Amino acid sequence: MNLQALLRAHAGLDLDEADLERALRQRMQLLGLSERADYLAGLAGAELQALLELVVVPESWLFRDPGAFALLVRHVQQHAGPARRLRLLSLPCANGEEPYSMAMALVDAGVPPAWFSIEGVDLSQEAIARARRAVFPAYAFRGGDAGLRARHFAEVAGGYQLAPQIASLVNFRQGNVLNLHSDVPYDVIFCRNMLIYFDGASTAAALSRLSALLTPDGLLFVGHAELPALVRAGFQAVAERASFAVRKGGPAPLPPAPPPAPLATPAPVPRPAPALATPLASPPVPHAAGVRLHQAHDCLQRGQLAAAQAVCEAVLADAPDTADAHFLLGLVADGRADRNAAEQHWRACLYLEPAHYEALCHLALLASRRGDASAAAAWQRRATRVYARSHSGGGRA
Ligand SMILES: C[S@@+](CC[C@H](N)C(=O)[O-])C[C@H]1O[C@@H](n2cnc3c(N)ncnc32)[C@H](O)[C@@H]1O
C-alpha cells in the first residue's frame, strides 16, 4: 500500500502527494534515515501519529459559523433539564475552539452546566494538548462577539487563558472518527470542516460512524461546504438559518458528488487547504476573480457576511457572469435568513452555469425547508442528472 492509501485507510484523509512527501522527508531527516523503504517499513504506531501531526490542519477559531451555536443553545434549552443531561461531542475539536465555544454559548445563555456534558475529540495529539491548555492567540477571537474575551478570558503570556469554570466543562481525548465508539450515543455532534479533507469512500465510512454515535433524534452540525454531502447521504437538513445542521433520515439520498472543479487561482493552493472547502463547480473564472472569491469564501467561514458580500459584488461589477459569485451571495443571503434573495442568487448562478451542482443542492435544501417537497425533488433530480452526466463524460447539463 502506498503512503497516500495508508493514510486514507487509517484516518480518511485524502492528502496531496506533495504535502505527504514533504512530511515524510521531514520525519526521515529527524530520524536520520536516508532510505525511504526503511522509513516506510517502520511506519506504524507512534511514527504514524508523528507523520499525521505534520499533515493535519487544526485550523479553527472561537464561534466559527455563529449560527450553529445559536441553534445548539435553543436545542439544549428545549431538550435538556434536571432529569435529562444532553451529551455533546465536538469531533474534530482541533485546539478546543469549538467545544469551548459550545460551553461559553450555553453558560452565557444561562443553561445550568449540570444539564449538559461536552467532549472534544481530535486525531491530533498535539491539538488535544493545546486544547487542554486552553490558551488562545488573539486571532482565535475573530468569530465571537466583542465582549467574549472580557467575559471568559484573562490575558497571559502568549495569549488569553480561558476561565477554569468554562474549561472544566469540556473533556478531551484523542480519537479517530473512523473507529470512535461510545457506550452511550450523543445528542449533538459537531463534525465541521473535516469531511472536506476526506474522499467519497472515507466520507461514507465517517458518516456511518457518526450516525451510530448519534441518538435517533440527535443533531449533527457540519460545515456549509459539507452540507450537500450529508443530504446526499440521506440526512435531513434542519430548517434553521446558517446553522448547517442535519438529522438522521430524510428524503431519498442523492448520489455522491461529482469530483469538484476547484476555483481558479493564480497559483496552486496546497491541499488540504480550508480555502478550498467549498467544492464550487464552475468553469474557470479569471485569476483575479478567483482570488477574490477565495477571500469571500474565507469571510463567509468567519461569519463576516457583509465583507463576503462586498467582495462578491465587486467581482460581479467587474465580471457580471461569474456564477460562483452568485453562489456565494446565495450563502450570504441564507446566512441572513433571506431565503428569497438566496434563491434568486442560486437561480442566477444556475442561469450562468446550469450544471452548478452545489447551487442545485442548496436550492433543493431551500425548497425542502419551505416544505415544498415537489420542488425539492425536482432540484434533486436535476442535481442527479448533473452528477450522472459528469460521470458519463457527457459534460455539463
Ligand atoms: C479544520 S479542523 C476543524 C476544527 C473545527 N471542527 C472547526 O470546524 O473549526 C480539522 C481537524 O480534523 C482533524 N482530523 C482529521 N482527520 C481526523 C480523523 N480521522 N478523526 C478525527 N479528527 C480528524 C484534524 O486533526 C484537525 O484538527
Side-chain angles (χ1 to χ4, degrees):
M1 195 187 285
N2 70 24
L3 191 53
Q4 243 176 336
L6 178 81
L7 294 198
R8 200 179 299 128
H10 177 76
L13 294 168
D14 187 23
L15 296 166
D16 183 77
E17 215 172 327
D19 290 334
L20 259 184
E21 200 56 33
R22 216 172 299 122
L24 178 136
R25 301 219 164 278
Q26 207 173 319
R27 288 303 302 165
M28 283 176 60
Q29 198 175 12
L30 214 94
L31 296 169
L33 292 174
S34 53
E35 293 301 321
R36 192 188 165 87
D38 291 342
Y39 179 77
L40 293 179
L43 188 55
E47 183 48 41
L48 181 53
Q49 183 66 33
L51 185 70
L52 280 169
E53 296 291 349
L54 294 176
V55 293
V56 291
V57 184
E59 161 75 3
S60 187
W61 55 92
L62 298 159
F63 285 92
R64 181 176 193 171
D65 290 328
F69 299 95
L71 176 56
L72 169 74
V73 167
R74 279 200 300 285
H75 184 77
V76 175
Q77 282 170 334
Q78 280 163 13
H79 296 92
R84 185 165 179 219
R85 180 176 232 222
L86 292 197
R87 286 167 50 78
L88 320 178
L89 172 68
S90 163
L91 162 71
C93 65
N95 317 297
E97 296 89 342
E98 184 173 270
Y100 287 141
S101 300
M102 294 158 95
M104 286 184 279
L106 290 166
V107 167
D108 284 347
V111 179
W115 292 13
F116 60 87
S117 68
I118 305 177
E119 242 180 279
V121 176
D122 199 282
L123 185 66
S124 163
Q125 278 167 353
E126 291 175 11
I128 291 293
R130 284 191 295 271
R132 289 192 174 120
R133 280 199 293 279
V135 174
F136 295 96
Y139 61 79
F141 291 83
R142 56 195 190 262
D145 66 79
L148 183 70
R149 211 148 60 186
R151 276 200 310 282
H152 297 298
F153 293 83
E155 194 164 359
V156 294
Y160 297 85
Q161 175 84 57
L162 181 60
Q165 60 271 30
I166 300 286
S168 65
L169 297 176
V170 184
N171 286 309
F172 290 101
R173 65 181 161 121
Q174 191 263 347
N176 182 344
V177 68
L178 296 183
N179 53 32
L180 196 74
H181 289 271
S182 167
D183 291 339
V184 187
Y186 294 92
D187 300 286
V188 175
I189 301 179
F190 273 55
C191 182
R192 305 188 308 162
N193 304 302
M194 176 182 69
L195 299 176
I196 49 177
Y197 299 106
F198 284 23
D199 68 355
S202 306
T203 298
L207 290 184
S208 106
R209 204 74 298 285
L210 289 166
S211 188
L213 289 167
L214 192 65
T215 55
D217 58 347
L219 276 188
L220 172 61
F221 290 84
V222 293
H224 74 78
E226 295 158 333
L227 189 63
L230 274 281
V231 174
R232 282 194 300 274
F235 287 81
Q236 187 165 25
V238 172
E240 285 279 348
R241 72 184 178 108
S243 61
F244 310 114
V246 294
R247 291 182 198 280
K248 292 193 216 184
L254 284 168
L263 281 169
T265 51
V269 177
R271 290 197 62 217
L276 284 180
T278 306
L280 299 172
S282 284
V285 290
H287 282 169
V291 170
R292 287 195 285 170
L293 289 175
H294 275 278
Q295 282 167 1
H297 179 257
D298 282 352
C299 293
L300 204 60
Q301 281 212 315
R302 288 176 199 153
Q304 297 164 350
L305 300 182
Q309 179 180 358
V311 176
C312 290
E313 285 172 353
V315 168
L316 286 173
D318 292 345
D321 56 352
T322 310
D324 281 332
H326 280 293
F327 175 68
L328 292 178
L329 282 171
L331 293 179
V332 169
D334 195 40
R336 292 183 174 136
D338 188 346
R339 292 187 184 164
N340 289 338
E343 179 164 359
Q344 274 170 21
H345 281 299
W346 289 330
R347 281 179 182 273
C349 170
L350 285 177
Y351 174 76
L352 295 165
E353 173 53 37
H356 198 292
Y357 186 79
E358 302 299 316
L360 288 167
C361 287
H362 279 278
L363 280 164
L365 286 178
L366 204 61
S368 90
R369 284 180 190 172
R370 252 195 338 251
D372 188 345
S374 77
W379 289 121
Q380 285 198 355
R381 278 197 300 276
R382 208 168 139 186
T384 305
R385 283 200 301 275
V386 167
Y387 172 80
R389 278 181 211 175
S390 78
H391 270 64
S392 64
R396 294 177 178 276

